[in-house]
Amino acid sequence: MTNELFLLLLREYIIPGFARQREVNGDPADAAALLISDGHGSRNQPEVLRLLTEANISMFTLPPHTSHLTQPLDNSPFAILRRKVNDAERRITREMSPAEKTKSRSVALDSALCCMRAPDVILRSFATTGIRPFDPESFFAGKKCRTYMAQTEGVGSSRLRTDGAGLVSLRGR
């Protein structure tokens, strides 16, 4: 993800999406909103922060190296987005005008957003991570998870519990 591409995504999709949702909910146009994001550098641009402030959207950045716990959608929907955006970036040439570059990126984003919102794609991402239905073997697989659990051991209980429906939550803190 480039700085330019994130600004395009923010201007063309994220902020208008919040505006539409406020309208659907019957909320005021300036109602407070929250954008949950990873810590990629493209999110920390002055222009991004200015646009979010103008739209009354706060951004919460998730802790690094916890995506297996906090971002199950990275496994399927956002993988589709990354693949389509990266493909579009590879097709962009220096000879293209700025308008042609923006058009190419917009087409890629439209295509990705259409594919990534499919219910089966979203459900697959939660199943892949072992979150729902809860699968401890999948959930605790991988070195990063064991490292994270070891790092949080002294901070409070890092044990997970599951409710009857298989929803997972962290206990303690």
Side-chain angles (χ1 to χ4, degrees):
M1 175 78 59
T2 65
N3 290 352
E4 182 181 61
L5 187 57
F6 186 71
L7 280 169
L8 175 70
L9 183 64
L10 189 66
R11 284 186 184 113
E12 300 294 322
Y13 296 95
I14 296 173
I15 292 173
F18 276 104
R20 281 190 301 278
Q21 193 60 50
R22 287 171 175 145
E23 189 177 316
V24 166
N25 293 346
D27 295 332
D30 64 345
L34 177 66
L35 173 64
I36 300 173
S37 174
D38 64 13
H40 190 271
S42 63
R43 279 54 152 180
N44 198 21
Q45 304 174 64
E47 180 68 2
V48 167
L49 301 176
R50 184 186 67 75
L51 290 169
L52 289 173
T53 300
E54 285 177 2
N56 200 21
I57 300 171
S58 299
M59 183 167 31
F60 175 77
T61 304
L62 295 167
H65 308 297
T66 61
S67 62
H68 60 287
L69 297 170
T70 59
Q71 302 173 60
L73 299 178
D74 273 357
N75 291 297
S76 294
F78 294 124
I80 292 170
L81 176 65
R82 281 191 299 273
R83 185 178 62 248
K84 290 190 178 278
V85 166
N86 289 337
D87 289 347
E89 287 296 316
R90 279 192 291 276
R91 287 190 302 271
I92 291 175
T93 66
R94 291 182 189 193
E95 295 78 33
M96 293 173 82
S97 71
E100 290 172 316
K101 290 178 183 180
T102 298
K103 173 78 171 161
S104 178
R105 290 178 176 121
S106 291
V107 168
L109 287 172
D110 284 341
S111 172
L113 290 172
C114 180
C115 295
M116 66 189 278
R117 288 186 280 187
D120 64 313
V121 171
I122 293 169
L123 291 172
R124 184 173 54 238
S125 67
F126 282 87
T128 302
T129 59
I131 291 176
R132 182 158 177 92
F134 184 55
D135 176 7
E137 288 185 29
S138 295
F139 188 82
F140 292 110
K143 182 179 178 184
K144 284 187 179 178
C145 185
R146 288 190 296 275
T147 301
Y148 176 76
M149 298 304 279
Q151 289 171 347
T152 59
E153 203 57 42
V155 178
S157 175
S158 59
R159 285 185 234 132
L160 294 169
R161 62 184 167 94
T162 178
D163 67 10
L167 297 174
V168 177
S169 61
L170 286 170
R171 237 190 325 190
R173 281 238 170 198

